[in-house]
């Protein structure tokens, strides 16, 4: 399908605010991030080899994206048939509005939580959330520009992979891992249910084929787990943040009168 220059411009302009906003968050969060003893750098090889070692050694991290990635070329062969069946055997409906809102919400929740934590002096969650979501979106749109797969409704040729799905699964992964690590609860993994709904809504709404959705989900899972591992570290890998607690900076009302007070705390 050919698109006119004007329609392409509108299409890219529609993406620009969200991508630019996430990129800004990365810059702000990166500058304010906390670092502890033994911390590694963003661009050190051991940071990401350590993250990959954690990813590959934990079945809870790699089984789901591996299954989705393997399923992608299989369902791709039947994409058109599956898309047609999704119309006649709809689980929900063809309106993508609620799925779109859920995708935004799943990404916003960890960013809002991170912003609150940053206001209290710990910007680690904000940095991880901003980087995971930004890298997920960057990888998604890079693949879209290379693959050039037509959408089921014929509106454009950027169907693969689904950005809404990759964004939703990235957000769900951030929620799940944060709640598990901070509070020892599995409740956060329930966020994968609304993330799955996002993917289904994109299929039934004729915005994406099933292969676009399965790969988008896998992409969000892999990128977010790797970014999370790289920052918080694990066995034999201190991560970008280093020890349990890095230096934390806080600012708030002065306890003994009007004005503001700032403090720096470094715990080992």
């Amino acid at each position: 399908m050919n698109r006119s220059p004007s329609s392409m411009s509108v299409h890219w302009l529609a993406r620009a605010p969200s991508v630019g906003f996430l990129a800004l968050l990365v810059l702000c969060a990166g500058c304010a991030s906390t670092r502890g003893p033994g911390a590694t750098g963003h661009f050190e090889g051991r940071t990401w080899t350590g993250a990959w070692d954690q990813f590959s050694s934990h079945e809870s991290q790699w089984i789901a994206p591996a299954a989705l990635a393997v399923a992608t070329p299989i369902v791709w062969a039947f994409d058109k048939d599956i898309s047609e069946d999704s119309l006649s055997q709809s689980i929900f409906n063809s309106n993508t509005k609620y799925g779109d809102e859920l995708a935004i919400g799943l990404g916003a929740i960890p960013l809002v939580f991170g912003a609150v934590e940053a206001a209290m002096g710990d910007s680690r969650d904000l940095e991880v959330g901003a980087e995971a979501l930004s890298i997920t979106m960057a990888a998604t749109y890079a693949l879209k520009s290379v693959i050039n797969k037509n959408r089921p409704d014929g509106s454009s040729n950027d169907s693969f992979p689904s950005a809404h799905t990759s964004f939703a699964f990235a957000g769900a992964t951030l929620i799940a891992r944060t709640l598990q690590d901070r509070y020892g609860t599995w409740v956060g993994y329930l966020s994968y249910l609304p993330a799955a709904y996002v993917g289904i809504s994109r299929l039934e709404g004729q915005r994406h084929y099933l292969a676009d959705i399965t790969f988008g989900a896998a992409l969000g899972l892999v990128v977010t787990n790797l970014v999370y591992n790289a920052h918080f570290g694990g066995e034999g890998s201190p991560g970008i943040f280093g020890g349990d607690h890095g230096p934390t900076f806080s600012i708030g009302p002065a306890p003994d009168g009007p004005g503001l007070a700032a403090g720096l705390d470094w715990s080992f």
Side-chain angles (χ1 to χ4, degrees):
M1 175 182 176
N2 293 323
R3 290 179 293 172
S4 66
S6 60
S7 64
M8 291 180 68
S9 297
V10 171
H11 189 66
W12 280 103
L13 283 173
R15 292 177 184 169
S18 59
V19 177
F21 175 69
L22 287 172
L24 179 61
L25 280 177
V26 170
L27 293 174
C28 293
C31 292
S33 63
T34 57
R35 298 290 183 268
T40 61
H42 275 87
F43 302 105
E44 289 186 44
R46 60 178 177 148
T47 298
W48 299 100
T49 55
W52 178 258
D53 287 342
Q54 290 181 65
F55 178 82
S56 59
S57 63
H58 289 79
E59 294 181 350
S60 61
Q61 293 186 32
W62 67 261
I63 284 183
L68 289 165
V70 169
T72 296
I74 298 173
V75 298
W76 190 313
F78 305 98
D79 262 348
K80 290 186 177 180
D81 291 336
I82 296 172
S83 184
E84 291 174 359
D85 290 342
S86 71
L87 288 176
S88 59
Q89 302 174 20
S90 172
I91 299 176
F92 299 106
N93 56 61
S94 60
N95 187 346
T96 62
K97 178 177 181 291
Y98 299 120
D100 295 352
E101 292 173 348
L102 271 176
I104 295 172
L106 286 169
I109 287 172
L111 291 180
V112 171
F113 176 80
V116 171
E117 291 285 295
M120 295 188 293
D122 185 351
S123 63
R124 291 177 297 176
D125 286 315
L126 179 60
E127 177 175 344
V128 172
E131 287 189 20
L133 292 168
S134 297
I135 294 172
T136 297
M137 287 293 94
T140 299
Y141 285 115
L143 287 170
K144 283 178 178 289
S145 65
V146 172
I147 304 299
N148 288 320
K149 182 182 180 184
N150 286 328
R151 289 181 184 266
D153 61 5
S155 61
S156 62
N157 63 345
D158 59 351
S159 190
F160 185 91
S162 167
H164 284 79
T165 307
S166 63
F167 190 81
F169 273 83
T173 302
L174 288 167
I175 294 170
R177 294 204 59 180
T178 299
L179 289 179
Q180 183 181 53
D181 290 355
R182 289 291 186 89
Y183 308 108
T185 177
W186 56 267
V187 172
Y189 287 93
L190 293 176
S191 59
Y192 286 120
L193 294 177
Y197 173 82
V198 171
I200 294 172
S201 72
R202 303 303 287 174
L203 174 66
E204 294 184 352
Q206 297 292 287
R207 295 295 292 159
H208 285 286
Y209 292 107
L210 184 57
D212 311 337
I213 294 162
T214 56
F215 192 84
L219 184 63
L221 287 164
V222 171
V223 169
T224 304
N225 275 309
L226 288 176
V227 170
Y228 194 99
N229 293 344
H231 282 77
F232 286 104
E235 294 182 8
S237 176
I240 293 170
F241 294 141
D244 293 333
H245 302 285
T248 59
F249 175 79
S250 61
I251 185 169
D256 55 356
L260 295 175
L264 180 65
D265 177 60
W266 196 319
S267 303
F268 294 90

